[in-house]
Amino acid sequence: MWNGIHGVYSLRNRSIHRHFSWFSKNGHTESLRFPPKIVIISKHCITTFYELTAKMTMVNRTIMLIKPFNPGIMKAVKSGIGGFLMAVLAAYMVPHPPLIVPDIGRGAEAAIANTIDAYREVARRIASVKPDTIVVISPHQVMYADYFHLSPGKGAKGDFGRFRAGKVKMEVSYDTEFVGELCIQAQAQGLDAGTLGVRGRQDQDLDHGTMVPLYFVNQYWKAYKLVRVGLSGFPLTAHYALGECIQETAQILDRNVVGIGSGDLSHRMKE
């Protein structure tokens, strides 16, 4: 059972020498050399080098330590053939006017045709990366001034009955493993985040800030699980730190993740 990895790179006459030492629990080491197609992994990025010597300007360190350790990193590196480390692959900011759903707009949505086209493009891009998990941050989710609320439970469902379109329904499964690990990562960073503070059925009933983006995503991709995150009254720096925890969680669990920030700058849809 390996518990650490250390890679040393040295540049000599425009060639790179690749050498890794694997540190085992019993103190023994094993060396491994890579073919030209390899993967360099650090905490926040992963880069595949197909012609490494032609890309030496991209390597700004001679020593790289791969951390934090997890089986996904180990599998990718030990394969030595250009493995892949899951992470947050994309993130999008989108509006959530219910009017944009045809059963609600009833023709009025034609006035925001450009927004609809943009929404469909976002949905197609999300589908193209085939996310395992979609993290949605909605201002209509459970929200506290001093706590990041993550929806607990196995899943949720909802409809647009509030907007006279009750026939438009959806149901999602939560990524419970992701939520659990995200709680651990947030606590490790000193962030007040978790599944406490449940309010009635809000975690089991999807809000329109979540449903409007998923209405479009579901037209192109449905093989995902959902994580719902509420905003807070914490400073922007705390929200940024939570985003880093989401990235860390994606890496630890080998998840292919897309983030969606749902919010409207204006609720005035007519001139």
Side-chain angles (χ1 to χ4, degrees):
M1 180 68 181
W2 305 106
N3 64 2
I5 245 182
H6 192 104
V8 179
Y9 297 79
S10 60
L11 179 62
R12 297 176 183 173
N13 299 324
R14 293 189 58 79
S15 65
I16 192 166
H17 299 262
R18 302 175 297 280
H19 177 272
F20 276 81
S21 295
W22 302 71
F23 299 93
S24 62
K25 287 185 176 180
N26 59 16
H28 296 160
T29 63
E30 175 184 341
S31 296
L32 186 66
R33 288 188 176 275
F34 288 88
K37 180 183 177 182
I38 69 169
V39 173
I40 291 180
I41 307 174
S42 67
K43 184 176 180 181
H44 297 295
C45 66
I46 176 168
T47 306
T48 303
F49 290 83
Y50 293 93
E51 297 178 1
L52 204 55
T53 55
K55 297 178 181 287
M56 281 310 303
T57 56
M58 298 179 67
V59 180
N60 57 10
R61 298 180 185 178
T62 57
I63 298 178
M64 299 183 70
L65 177 64
I66 299 176
K67 64 178 183 178
F69 165 72
N70 69 68
I73 290 179
M74 193 65 67
K75 181 179 179 181
V77 178
K78 196 170 184 180
S79 67
I81 57 172
F84 183 73
L85 178 64
M86 301 299 188
V88 177
L89 300 183
Y92 300 93
M93 290 290 295
V94 295
H96 55 245
L99 175 74
I100 205 170
V101 178
D103 289 76
I104 299 173
R106 302 179 185 182
E109 71 277 7
I112 54 173
N114 289 341
T115 302
I116 293 174
D117 291 342
Y119 233 129
R120 287 174 177 158
E121 176 61 22
V122 166
R124 283 192 289 266
R125 292 188 182 190
I126 291 174
S128 71
V129 299
K130 301 179 179 180
D132 305 307
T133 303
I134 294 179
V135 178
V136 175
I137 302 173
S138 166
H140 297 286
Q141 160 70 322
V142 177
M143 181 173 160
Y144 292 99
D146 58 354
Y147 191 71
F148 289 111
H149 180 78
L150 312 177
S151 287
K154 296 182 179 180
K157 57 185 178 181
D159 60 55
F160 287 103
R162 176 184 171 191
F163 304 98
R164 298 182 299 169
K167 292 183 179 180
V168 183
K169 303 177 181 180
M170 64 182 67
E171 187 169 356
V172 298
S173 296
Y174 289 154
D175 191 335
T176 55
E177 186 180 19
F178 195 100
V179 170
E181 183 62 36
L182 180 55
C183 290
I184 293 172
Q185 294 302 315
Q187 291 169 9
Q189 297 301 318
L191 295 174
D192 288 324
T195 56
L196 300 178
V198 175
R199 294 179 184 169
R201 291 189 51 83
Q202 279 187 272
D203 290 301
Q204 287 74 47
D205 296 335
L206 294 172
D207 63 277
H208 73 275
T210 299
M211 287 193 293
V212 170
L214 296 185
Y215 171 82
F216 288 94
V217 172
N218 289 346
Q219 295 176 35
Y220 299 90
W221 181 252
K222 292 184 177 180
Y224 65 87
K225 290 187 176 181
L226 183 69
V227 173
R228 294 169 70 191
V229 180
L231 297 170
S232 77
F234 288 132
L236 295 178
T237 51
H239 289 78
Y240 183 88
L242 184 66
E244 291 187 315
C245 292
I246 291 172
Q247 168 79 336
E248 196 84 356
T249 300
Q251 293 182 356
I252 291 172
L253 297 180
D254 282 347
R255 288 290 199 280
N256 190 346
V257 176
V258 166
I260 296 178
S262 176
D264 279 338
L265 292 178
S266 172
H267 287 72
R268 182 180 176 84
M269 302 305 297
K270 300 179 181 179
E271 293 185 3

